[in-house]
Amino acid sequence: MDYYIIKGGKKLKGEVKISGAKNAALPIIVASLLTDGETELHNVPNLKDILTIIKVIEYLGAETEFNTEKNILKIKINKIKKSEIPYDLVKTMRASVYVMGPMLARLGFADVSLPGGCAIGERPIDIHLAGFESLGAEIGIERGYVIAKAKKLKGTHFIMRNVSVGATINIMMAAVMAEGETILENCAMEPDVVDLANFLIKMGAHIEGAGSERIVIHGVKKLNPVSYAIMPDRIEAGTYLLAGAISRGEIKIFNCVSEHLAAVCSALEEIGFRIEQGKDWVHILPGKIYRGIYIKTLPYPGFPTDLQAPMMALMATLPGISVVNETIFENRFTHVGELRRMGALIETEGNMAIIHGVKRLLAAPVMMSDLRAGASLVLAALAAKGITEIRRIYHADRGYEKLSEKLSSLGADIKREKGGVY
Ligand code: UD1
């Protein structure tokens, strides 16, 4: 298995292009199941998670062609051939449960393995299922599979008990071809939801309010295949801004949507970095004095939970005390033990972490435990004294396209090595 060797201490400098958004691409690829014909998607990032979801739709009968150099994915659907998604496909990636919405809409039946827990918490899908029930589906659980049936989905008024990105997306996909009007309340307002809605609207769906707490959908009988470009990845963008910050360098990210980065940019400014920005670029520059801050993760437009771990690596290098309050997932501190191995001073109590900044992090052999925890270790290694070896980097391959190439182009001393026993 591959690993990274990173020699810390280089100030990163230069420009980096942001790839397409993984969390928007995943549901958009799945939503292509809502129509027959050929869908063409641009700006699709070449990531492990994307290859997994492609496998899932191929399993259901799609023919695909992914040009990974040009980031163009062509999806051809003649017929959905299966109505079951086995555990082996769901266990590698939770977002596989997104197929339930389109399968219910088109086939009136879905038999999908329950995803189970994951490294960052229990992560149930009860809200997805309650939404389908509200649309008229019958839901049963047998041998670890959810079996959903509906002769015809019917418009409904559904209030989500908790803001959930996945549930908003899945229920929206089911409702676009339901009979009549569906009103969804307490929806996630993440840009990924809006990107999916824009894709569905281009296909002929009637959706209003995506990006707000209330989404109104008027069901249509048929959707048409279209060509669509996926929006830029705000989490990848935020990670590069944090890489600039932790190295005290100067990085300009482009091909991003700066509006999506408001929470992370204001946190960086509060710490003391300088931010300049246009509509589709952000430039981070060193400041004069830095200070610790308090971060509370929240649904969009609040500070994203997916940047909590990378932000904590930066906090470990700031003067004074910083505090993290993780409110989205109950077990999202698996990076803390590894950061401590690199000399970080972090105490945790429940969902709170208190970080005492140190003058310099120190290299150590460390291991990624999930995607964003992995990003935090890469950032810590960029700033640490000495040479850090990071194992289990397959986690980072799930969500960062060309990570080592992009960091190298900014002047980082990072090598991806093959092999190793662990
Ligand atoms: C998505 C993102 C993930 C991000 C998260 C929060 C994808 C593929 N993943 O995950 O990167 O960290 O949003 O921004 O887009 N919950 C329930 N019942 C449900 C669904 C969710 O209780 O049916 C809870 C979860 O356990 C969690 C909270 O709601 O505590 C938010 O989860 P949710 O927004 O659904 O996250 P995901 O869609 O899984």
Side-chain angles (χ1 to χ4, degrees):
M1 278 189 263
D2 293 5
Y3 59 97
Y4 283 137
I5 298 284
I6 300 176
K7 188 169 173 197
K10 290 265 169 72
K11 277 190 201 303
L12 302 193
K13 198 169 164 52
E15 298 194 350
V16 61
K17 186 178 175 205
I18 301 307
S19 299
K22 168 178 88 73
N23 288 352
L26 290 170
I28 288 174
I29 291 170
V30 170
S32 68
L33 293 169
L34 286 163
T35 177
D36 287 338
E38 190 169 304
T39 298
E40 186 171 301
L41 301 176
H42 293 243
N43 207 28
V44 178
N46 180 17
L47 298 169
K48 193 78 191 305
D49 275 8
I50 298 296
L51 302 178
T52 306
I53 206 76
I54 290 174
K55 257 197 215 152
V56 171
I57 62 163
E58 280 179 344
Y59 177 86
L60 292 173
E63 284 169 35
T64 70
E65 191 188 312
F66 190 12
N67 182 330
T68 52
E69 285 306 308
K70 293 191 173 150
N71 296 97
I72 298 175
L73 173 65
K74 290 185 184 164
I75 302 168
K76 207 164 152 195
I77 317 253
N78 289 323
K79 198 173 173 235
I80 301 183
K81 294 186 182 133
K82 292 208 177 83
S83 58
E84 181 214 305
I85 299 285
Y87 181 54
D88 279 349
L89 282 176
V90 179
K91 75 169 191 244
T92 49
M93 190 183 58
R94 288 177 46 80
S96 308
V97 299
Y98 282 159
V99 294
M100 287 192 85
M103 279 163 87
L104 264 179
R106 285 205 73 188
L107 305 174
F109 187 80
D111 184 358
V112 177
S113 169
L114 274 168
C118 73
I120 63 174
E122 205 180 301
R123 297 182 86 178
I125 57 162
D126 58 314
I127 305 170
H128 303 228
L129 302 183
F132 296 149
E133 266 180 334
S134 179
L135 282 162
E138 269 177 46
I139 306 283
I141 308 237
E142 283 174 29
R143 49 181 174 91
Y145 281 65
V146 179
I147 300 175
K149 292 180 207 165
K151 273 215 177 83
K152 179 80 195 127
L153 295 176
K154 293 220 164 68
T156 185
H157 185 185
F158 181 67
I159 303 170
M160 290 183 228
R161 72 158 170 83
N162 192 15
V163 178
S164 160
V165 177
T168 305
I169 280 174
N170 222 344
I171 301 166
M172 189 161 81
M173 289 194 287
V176 282
M177 295 213 290
E179 209 174 277
E181 184 185 75
T182 297
I183 299 173
L184 304 177
E185 304 216 49
N186 199 24
C187 295
M189 302 193 284
E190 265 67 1
D192 314 273
V193 173
V194 179
D195 212 34
L196 169 66
N198 287 340
F199 173 67
L200 293 169
I201 290 167
K202 201 167 178 196
M203 289 171 91
H206 290 185
I207 304 172
E208 283 160 36
S212 76
E213 284 164 22
R214 189 171 190 266
I215 299 178
V216 181
I217 300 163
H218 291 271
V220 293
K221 289 221 162 69
K222 193 171 171 289
L223 296 172
N224 303 304
V226 292
S227 166
Y228 188 79
I230 310 284
M231 69 169 192
D233 195 312
R234 72 201 159 93
I235 305 301
E236 187 201 22
T239 305
Y240 283 102
L241 290 178
L242 289 163
I246 202 164
S247 74
R248 309 296 191 261
E250 212 183 300
I251 290 184
K252 184 171 174 186
I253 58 167
F254 65 99
N255 191 40
C256 62
V257 180
S258 58
E259 192 192 330
H260 294 168
L261 297 163
V264 65
C265 285
S266 68
L268 287 165
E269 283 180 319
E270 200 182 318
I271 292 169
F273 294 96
R274 285 185 296 140
I275 298 283
E276 290 168 1
Q277 55 186 297
K279 202 166 165 256
D280 58 0
W281 59 271
V282 181
H283 194 177
I284 177 162
L285 301 124
K288 289 202 175 85
I289 301 170
Y290 302 112
R291 61 193 80 84
I293 48 159
Y294 169 67
I295 291 285
K296 183 175 180 175
T297 62
L298 288 168
Y300 187 83
F303 191 91
T305 173
D306 285 350
L307 287 177
Q308 178 259 109
M311 174 55 96
M312 199 184 289
L314 171 64
M315 288 167 156
T317 70
L318 298 175
I321 290 179
S322 294
V323 176
V324 166
N325 182 358
E326 170 58 62
T327 74
I328 309 289
F329 292 109
E330 76 269 21
N331 184 25
R332 212 172 192 179
F333 285 151
T334 54
H335 46 288
V336 168
E338 300 298 290
L339 289 175
R340 281 194 192 125
R341 290 170 51 75
M342 300 182 71
L345 294 179
I346 305 171
E347 292 158 50
T348 60
E349 171 111 28
N351 61 348
M352 303 284 287
I354 297 168
I355 302 106
H356 301 258
V358 293
K359 273 228 163 70
R360 189 88 199 259
L361 291 171
L362 304 169
V366 286
M367 240 191 258
M368 295 188 180
S369 53
D370 71 52
L371 168 58
R372 308 301 172 188
S376 83
L377 299 180
V378 171
L379 297 197
L382 291 173
K385 185 165 187 252
I387 296 173
T388 298
E389 190 179 301
I390 309 181
R391 300 274 171 175
R392 302 200 179 169
I393 62 172
Y394 52 84
H395 287 295
D397 294 340
R398 287 187 41 217
Y400 291 96
E401 192 180 39
K402 297 189 178 143
L403 179 63
S404 53
E405 287 95 323
K406 287 187 183 185
L407 285 172
S408 296
S409 79
L410 294 168
D413 191 338
I414 174 169
K415 284 192 195 78
R416 187 179 178 119
E417 302 283 358
K418 293 223 167 290
V421 183
Y422 57 97

